[in-house]
Amino acid sequence: MAEIAEIAVDRNARGQGVGMILLGATEEWAQEQGFRFIRLETQSTNPAACKLYARAGYRLEGFDRMLYANSENAGETALFWYRNLKA
C-alpha cells in the first residue's frame, strides 16, 4: 500500500483540477511500483479535500477521534481514505 503523506493545492489554484492531476500522477506512480492500494488521511474539518477524494474514487474507510488529541488540531477527527488501484 502506498500512502500520500501530504498533498496541498495553493488557494489561488483551487478549483482548476490541480488536485485531480496530483492524485492521478500519484496513482500512476503507485501502479508502476506495484502497489495495489493508496491510503491518505485528512481532517474532518477539510470538506473540500473530502469531496475531492470521493470524486477521485477514494472511499472513506476509517476514522480516529484521538489521533490529534495532543496537537494543535485537538478535537478534530482523522479520516482515512483508500483507493483500490486494481478495481
Side-chain angles (χ1 to χ4, degrees), residues 40-47 49-50 53 60 68 76-81:
L40 56 83
E41 172 261 318
T42 192
Q43 288 109 325
S44 56
T45 57
N46 194 345
C50 294
Y53 303 144
L60 179 61
Y68 310 124
E76 296 177 13
T77 300
L79 303 176
F80 299 98
W81 296 81

Side-chain angles (χ1 to χ4, degrees), residues 29 36 44 50 64:
W29 175 87
R36 294 184 56 209
S44 56
C50 294
D64 186 337

Side-chain angles (χ1 to χ4, degrees), residues 4 14 18-19 23 31 42 45 47 51 56 59 61 65 69 73 76 78 84:
I4 298 174
R14 291 181 186 163
V18 175
L23 289 174
Q31 286 177 319
T42 192
T45 57
K51 289 177 187 175
R59 293 184 48 181
E61 297 285 347
R65 291 187 176 125
N73 299 319
E76 296 177 13
N84 184 342

Side-chain angles (χ1 to χ4, degrees), residues 3 9-11 13 15-16 21 33 35 39-40 42 47 52 55 57 67 69 79-80 83:
E3 181 174 9
V9 175
D10 185 272
R11 290 188 195 285
Q16 299 177 34
I21 292 169
Q33 302 306 310
F35 291 105
R39 178 179 74 179
L40 56 83
T42 192
L52 169 66
R55 280 195 319 268
L67 185 64
L79 303 176
F80 299 98
R83 176 129 161 78

